[in-house]
Amino acid sequence: MFAPGQLTLGIFLPLRFFQGDMRVLEGQAELVANIDRRGFAAVWVRDVPLFDPGFGDAGQVFDPFTYLAYLAARTERVALATGSVIFSLRHPIDLAKMATTIDHLSGGRLVLGVASGDRPVEFPAYGIDIETRGERFAEAVTYFRKLVGPGQSSIVSPLGRMSGVDFLPKAVFGGIPLLVTGSSRQVLSWVAEHADGWLTYPHATHLPEGPRQLAQKVRAWRELIPDGGFRPHVTNEWIDLVDDLHFPRTPLQGGFVLRTGRKGLIDLLGEWREAGVNHAALGMQFAERPAAEIVQELAEEVLPLFPSHEGTAPSSVKW
């Protein structure tokens, strides 16, 4: 997914917007298998425990970890990413157990976008004070990393204590990348110090100043990274890719969706790359054209300009 100065492409699920009928998700796994064969860098799922009519968005409906395990069996090389798991709502042991299981089943392909949560209705349902979400998030990140990393951990945390026991399985490659989403109720210096990467929303993608503002934000974050090493930045956009090659970038739904032709999308991705973005996750659930048609156009006309990178070969173990 990531290399300095380069940008790769991923696809956000669901491929079609859920409006109360589960049949809208039929055939999605076959399309994901095609996305894998086509060479996209990642597929993304969201973590939406409860449907809030105020948001009007149920994500991909399925539990993200269960669904990624299913997709792991249907794919071979594509990274399996979350955007984003709500670390403030679940205990780190449960998060770690689900994550490392998928990591092994997929041959080390799991990447976790993580967040503190932004849907107020979920916190009382879990019996959690929403005002504590920032603190719980930071504690959960530390706890999670100790669990999935090598060696036996002794943990003392407000979220729990561990001593004299071990956690299994460990992550395939010594850890699972954690991409912090937005601020997650932390200061920017914390994100720079503790995140393996940063996932943020783009600025007005139909305006020239949007990518410039994004570049300033990415640069400010990278200047705070303690060791000065490379850490990737990720952004996403919901697109309505139209047939007209030259259709201008046009915001829909208050800027939430970008309608554009292929040329406008390619220009935008190039601007993101120049801004320091390393991966773009594209969602098409609001598009008018069939998802398979959009995937084909992206694979044939856009992906060659933003190719995925060679990674560590997936595990040959068949569990």
Side-chain angles (χ1 to χ4, degrees):
M1 290 176 69
F2 308 125
Q6 301 298 316
L7 180 140
T8 63
L9 298 183
I11 302 296
F12 241 118
L13 304 180
L15 296 172
R16 277 293 172 259
F17 188 61
F18 174 78
Q19 293 179 297
D21 187 349
M22 291 295 290
R23 288 177 297 179
V24 75
L25 302 177
E26 289 180 358
Q28 183 170 262
E30 285 73 20
L31 281 172
V32 170
N34 185 44
I35 288 166
D36 178 46
R37 289 190 296 269
R38 293 281 195 168
F40 287 87
V43 290
W44 292 77
V45 300
R46 297 167 62 203
D47 182 18
V48 183
L50 297 174
F51 175 65
D52 179 1
F55 272 77
D57 178 11
Q60 79 283 329
V61 185
F62 297 129
D63 170 77
F65 289 104
T66 306
Y67 195 45
L68 284 182
Y70 177 70
L71 295 180
R74 303 294 299 268
T75 58
E76 294 183 359
R77 301 199 64 84
V78 69
L80 305 170
T82 63
S84 299
V85 172
I86 311 305
F87 258 40
S88 305
L89 292 178
R90 299 179 179 86
H91 196 277
I93 294 175
D94 298 325
L95 290 166
K97 198 73 169 183
M98 293 184 289
T100 56
T101 297
I102 294 173
D103 201 39
H104 278 268
L105 293 176
S106 67
R109 291 188 279 141
L110 183 65
V111 175
L112 289 183
V114 297
S116 61
D118 62 358
R119 301 194 179 201
V121 298
E122 293 173 343
F123 290 86
Y126 276 87
I128 295 172
D129 181 358
I130 193 172
E131 297 303 322
T132 67
R133 58 181 162 162
E135 180 182 351
R136 289 180 64 89
F137 175 82
E139 292 287 350
V141 166
T142 299
Y143 202 138
F144 178 92
R145 281 217 174 98
K146 289 180 178 178
L147 290 170
V148 305
Q152 189 172 4
S153 297
S154 178
I155 297 174
V156 178
S157 165
L159 302 181
R161 297 170 179 263
M162 271 182 55
S163 179
V165 296
D166 202 1
F167 172 86
L168 297 174
K170 299 295 186 180
V172 173
F173 296 117
I176 294 175
L178 299 183
L179 313 179
V180 172
T181 304
S183 70
S184 289
R185 317 295 291 187
Q186 314 300 315
V187 297
L188 188 60
S189 59
W190 187 97
V191 178
E193 180 178 355
H194 295 279
D196 297 312
W198 197 23
L199 171 59
T200 72
Y201 295 113
H203 294 269
T205 50
H206 63 292
L207 298 175
E209 58 264 31
R212 290 199 293 268
Q213 293 171 348
L214 183 59
Q216 293 171 0
K217 182 163 65 175
V218 174
R219 184 165 55 250
W221 168 63
R222 286 196 166 126
E223 288 174 353
L224 294 174
I225 294 174
D227 59 7
F230 169 68
R231 297 187 196 175
H233 180 273
V234 177
T235 196
N236 70 286
E237 183 64 278
W238 310 113
I239 62 169
D240 180 8
L241 188 65
V242 302
D243 281 321
D244 182 355
L245 172 67
H246 298 286
F247 192 92
R249 299 192 321 230
T250 306
L252 303 176
Q253 299 187 27
F256 183 70
V257 178
L258 181 69
R259 175 171 288 169
T260 183
R262 186 172 71 243
K263 184 179 183 304
L265 177 61
I266 290 172
D267 289 345
L268 174 63
L269 294 172
E271 292 165 10
W272 280 352
R273 181 170 57 192
E274 291 300 314
V277 178
N278 305 108
H279 180 84
L282 303 177
M284 61 190 74
Q285 59 178 295
F286 300 102
E288 294 184 0
R289 294 168 63 194
E293 191 176 304
I294 295 175
V295 168
Q296 180 177 347
E297 181 174 354
L298 291 174
E300 294 176 355
E301 305 294 344
V302 182
L303 188 59
L305 303 175
F306 304 94
S308 303
H309 311 300
E310 288 297 323
T312 303
S315 170
S316 61
V317 175
K318 303 299 181 184
W319 301 105

